[in-house]
Amino acid sequence: MLPSENFPPVIFLLGPTASGKSQIALDIAENFPVEIISVDSAQVYRYMDIGTAKPEPETLVRTPHHLINLIDPDQSYSAAKFRQDALKIMNEICQRNKIPLLVGGTMLYFRALQDGLSVLPPANKELRQGLEEMAKKVGWPVMHHKLSEIDKETAIRIKPTDSQRIQRALEVCYLTKQPMSSILQSRHQADFPFQVIRIALLPSDRSELHQRIAKRFETMLNRGLIDEVQLIRQQFPDLNIESPSMRCVGYRQACLYLDNVIDNKALLDMGIAATRQLAKRQLTWLRNMRTTDKLFEFDCLETNLTIKINNLLNSTIPAHLSLT
């Protein structure tokens, strides 16, 4: 259900990786008074350009994007911080009598922005150190099993080797004396005074999307992804494969390659497979979103996609914010 029509409009442009969101956003910006806000947990990092498919520098000059290049790869960013930053920028854009156009594939950020976040306890240094010491003795798969005994729902969503998320889930369980999944289900409905137009780019043919994904990753490698990661690791020597920035799709596989863990073929195969898995998760989020939010769905493989989306926006947004 949309908020009151008295609220200013905002556009959400959602879709899986390789669905063409970035180009559609630029097309919209050519025809409507919008300002683009990136909703991408990887594009917040400086120097990570090729593997995150950031717009080219000349494109950013012509059509500025908000929330890109915010932090260094050895720093961290959260959904809560995104919500805070995005709301501030959205209000500023509306004051300029323009429309915020939020574009990206980090579905958790979209959900956090609209619905807020559950109140989870802050990190506890002593408890984390204790969990790390225990993991050194028994291994993270055993720690994952411990998590499954007290919070099965959360454990199902986390890989047995995902040390960061296992540690956080156990930490929350021990601090609150209840499963993290229960806390997340009691999410507080946040104030979000905007009228949202949700445009979802979905593939009519999953195999064609997979072809796009393969070509996309091959292009990243040809453009110098390995060199980019090597330079980043030289500049930030404390980074490792478990650092949040290096866990991004493509960067993790490049790190394994640079560490001589995998060869060229495995790098390509694993990078494509990881990107497919990301797209699958994004599509699952969108399917679930259908049950709670109104989506305007478009086939991302169509050739006349821009025209159809422009027609929708012309009929949906207020007249004084129509085509310029």
Side-chain angles (χ1 to χ4, degrees), residues 3-18:
S4 166
E5 292 184 0
N6 294 325
F7 290 149
V10 57
I11 303 168
F12 285 4
L13 182 57
L14 315 102
T17 185

Side-chain angles (χ1 to χ4, degrees), residues 261-319:
V261 176
I262 60 176
D263 60 14
N264 276 303
K265 185 178 185 305
L267 167 63
L268 179 62
D269 292 345
M270 290 175 65
I272 292 173
T275 311
R276 284 187 180 183
Q277 285 298 313
L278 171 61
K280 182 179 180 181
R281 292 193 299 271
Q282 291 166 325
L283 288 168
T284 299
W285 270 90
L286 288 169
R287 283 196 299 271
N288 292 337
M289 192 178 290
R290 285 173 176 164
T291 64
T292 57
D293 300 304
K294 178 177 177 59
L295 292 179
F296 294 101
E297 300 181 14
F298 294 88
D299 181 3
C300 65
L301 305 177
E302 287 191 19
T303 55
N304 59 345
L305 189 55
T306 296
I307 295 174
K308 290 188 174 183
I309 291 176
N310 281 350
N311 289 339
L312 166 72
L313 293 177
N314 268 322
S315 65
T316 307
I317 65 175

Side-chain angles (χ1 to χ4, degrees), residues 201-268:
L201 306 183
L202 303 171
S204 57
D205 184 347
R206 189 76 65 90
S207 64
E208 189 168 339
L209 180 68
H210 289 172
Q211 292 175 17
R212 282 191 182 186
I213 287 172
K215 183 177 180 181
R216 173 191 174 102
F217 192 72
E218 289 174 3
T219 300
M220 288 178 177
L221 291 176
N222 292 334
R223 289 186 58 205
L225 176 60
I226 296 300
D227 290 339
E228 178 175 272
V229 177
Q230 191 167 31
L231 287 172
I232 290 171
R233 299 209 308 179
Q234 290 172 356
Q235 187 173 355
F236 303 94
D238 290 337
L239 287 177
N240 59 63
I241 200 167
E242 296 302 329
S243 300
S245 61
M246 294 298 102
R247 292 176 54 148
C248 296
V249 171
Y251 289 87
R252 183 179 184 87
Q253 292 72 33
C255 286
L256 291 172
Y257 173 80
L258 289 169
D259 292 336
N260 297 314
V261 176
I262 60 176
D263 60 14
N264 276 303
K265 185 178 185 305
L267 167 63
L268 179 62

Side-chain angles (χ1 to χ4, degrees), residues 63-74:
T63 310
H65 289 51
H66 300 280
L67 300 189
I68 284 181
N69 297 325
L70 301 180
I71 58 175
D72 287 339
D74 60 348

Side-chain angles (χ1 to χ4, degrees), residues 65-129:
H65 289 51
H66 300 280
L67 300 189
I68 284 181
N69 297 325
L70 301 180
I71 58 175
D72 287 339
D74 60 348
Q75 298 174 305
S76 60
Y77 196 74
S78 66
K81 185 66 168 68
F82 168 80
R83 186 175 197 275
Q84 177 185 343
D85 292 343
L87 285 174
K88 179 177 181 293
I89 293 169
M90 290 166 70
N91 284 314
E92 292 171 353
I93 293 172
C94 291
Q95 289 172 7
R96 291 191 284 269
N97 205 32
K98 293 189 175 182
I99 305 171
L101 169 57
L102 290 97
V103 184
T106 303
M107 302 303 172
L108 175 61
Y109 281 12
F110 278 110
R111 182 55 64 196
L113 176 62
Q114 184 173 315
D115 295 342
L117 291 164
S118 300
V119 180
L120 296 175
N124 183 291
K125 185 176 180 180
E126 292 183 0
L127 178 54
R128 287 196 168 192
Q129 288 177 343

